Amino acid sequence: MEFYKKRDFGQIIGDTFTFFKEYGRNFILNYLTINGGIILLLLITVVLGYGEIISQLFGGNISGETYYFQQYYNDNQMMLIFTSIVLFLLLLLLMLFTFSFPVFYIKIVSETGNKKVTTSEIIDHFKGNFKRLLLFYLGTIFIVTPIYFAATLLSAFLIIIMIGLFLFIMLIPVMLNIVNFSLFDTLIGGNSYFKALITAFKMQFSRRFWKYMGATLVIYLIIYVISMLFTLIPILIFGFSIFTVAGGAQDDSTVMVILILVMYFISIIFSFIVFNAFYISAGWMYFDSREDLQGEASISEIDQMGL
């Protein structure tokens, strides 16, 4: 599969699914090996740290123990604080791996041509770029996110004159592209965060604006529909269980909590896997914009033909 080339609107979407057709098995296996373990730790931490509180939602607290949560918090403050810290660190690690995994995978495959990437290769890239990723994560939170909220408020204000609705619809794919382009430029282009962010803005607000925005919007809608259909299952089970579990049935409620958490674990894993299509499509757009990378790839192919 050719990575560094010009792509039109249809090729961006089509090559996204072609990628999973060619590399999907190895990609998902590595993804589950790395991120699945972190999500499993998250699940275990939630069960051990908050399992008792969650169980009360199905049993004890419904039967009249209105002060149970306050009493439980007072009796287990240190454990709950420790659990919250562990959850925060695991979520941070999960976000960093989730952001970087598809980028590193594409980088490795495009450079080596191998269709089987090892977990150790991806982890080595992650270790070598941990500082860059952390700066990217913090920069996105404290720089891009406020810009996004400001643009959202402006769009909401302009809805009264209709143009705001159109701007609001455009805002999501445009901001997602800027974040993803800056991520690719940080990890593949090797640029600093601010330089990568400036490059990302230039890429998005170029003559390719409508192509990139439209492709991202289509991929986003596809992923959203698939994810919602799958995650709806545990939500329905959760809602149904609230009305069916009898008050005080502690054993039944505990089993139900475990089953629901397992369902959420599976649905979250599935959603994360599906969402990778979004990053892959962003990669095609990034390569489409980077004419210098296309030139380097062409020179490399010519050199290989001469060997």
Side-chain angles (χ1 to χ4, degrees), residues 9 55 211:
F9 174 82
S55 296
K211 178 173 68 173

Side-chain angles (χ1 to χ4, degrees), residues 60-289:
N61 198 54
I62 296 177
S63 63
E65 297 178 21
T66 56
Y67 297 102
Y68 177 83
F69 294 114
Q70 180 179 350
Q71 179 184 348
Y72 186 82
Y73 175 78
N74 292 333
D75 294 341
N76 301 274
Q77 283 188 21
M78 293 305 299
M79 185 197 72
L80 292 174
I81 292 173
F82 176 76
T83 301
S84 299
I85 294 173
V86 173
L87 281 176
F88 172 77
L89 294 176
L90 287 174
L91 284 171
L92 176 61
L93 189 62
L94 178 62
M95 289 299 102
L96 293 178
F97 265 120
T98 300
F99 284 145
S100 62
F101 178 86
V103 182
F104 289 144
Y105 192 95
I106 288 179
K107 186 176 188 292
I108 295 170
V109 172
S110 63
E111 291 176 351
T112 64
N114 297 331
K115 289 194 174 182
K116 290 188 176 180
V117 178
T118 63
T119 303
S120 60
E121 287 180 287
I122 299 173
I123 293 177
D124 287 342
H125 275 73
F126 180 83
K127 290 179 180 178
N129 291 273
F130 181 80
K131 185 177 179 180
R132 286 178 177 272
L133 278 170
L134 189 59
L135 290 174
F136 171 83
Y137 188 79
L138 294 174
T140 300
I141 292 175
F142 294 107
I143 297 176
V144 178
T145 301
I147 295 174
Y148 173 75
F149 280 125
T152 301
L153 289 174
L154 178 62
S155 300
F157 177 76
L158 294 175
I159 284 180
I160 58 176
I161 57 175
M162 294 304 294
I163 192 175
L165 181 60
F166 180 68
L167 291 175
F168 185 79
I169 295 174
M170 292 173 53
L171 184 60
I172 295 177
V174 167
M175 294 305 297
L176 288 175
N177 280 347
I178 290 172
V179 171
N180 287 327
F181 293 164
S182 61
L183 175 62
F184 272 88
D185 203 49
T186 298
L187 299 181
I188 293 181
N191 292 320
S192 64
Y193 176 75
F194 288 104
K195 185 175 180 180
L197 188 61
I198 293 172
T199 301
F201 271 94
K202 291 180 179 179
M203 287 179 177
Q204 178 58 47
F205 294 99
S206 65
R207 64 182 184 275
R208 308 176 185 91
F209 177 88
W210 296 107
K211 178 173 68 173
Y212 293 166
M213 190 200 74
T216 300
L217 187 60
V218 170
I219 291 292
Y220 181 83
L221 290 174
I222 293 173
I223 293 173
Y224 179 78
V225 171
I226 295 174
S227 299
M228 283 300 297
L229 289 176
F230 198 83
T231 55
L232 191 62
I233 297 174
I235 293 175
L236 291 175
I237 294 176
F238 177 84
F240 180 74
S241 63
I242 291 179
F243 297 102
T244 56
V245 175
Q250 186 67 31
D251 293 338
D252 291 341
S253 64
T254 302
V255 172
M256 183 61 67
V257 167
I258 294 174
L259 289 176
I260 290 173
L261 289 175
V262 169
M263 286 296 298
Y264 266 113
F265 170 72
I266 296 173
S267 65
I268 289 171
I269 285 283
F270 178 82
S271 297
F272 275 133
I273 291 174
V274 172
F275 207 74
N276 277 281
F278 176 68
Y279 295 106
I280 300 301
S281 65
W284 302 146
M285 290 181 261
Y286 175 77
F287 294 142
D288 178 75
S289 289

Side-chain angles (χ1 to χ4, degrees), residues 6-26:
K6 293 284 186 181
R7 287 179 170 85
D8 58 27
F9 174 82
Q11 287 175 323
I12 291 173
I13 297 174
D15 283 356
T16 298
F17 296 100
T18 301
F19 174 86
F20 285 101
K21 183 178 180 181
E22 294 189 19
Y23 301 94
R25 184 175 180 179
N26 180 254

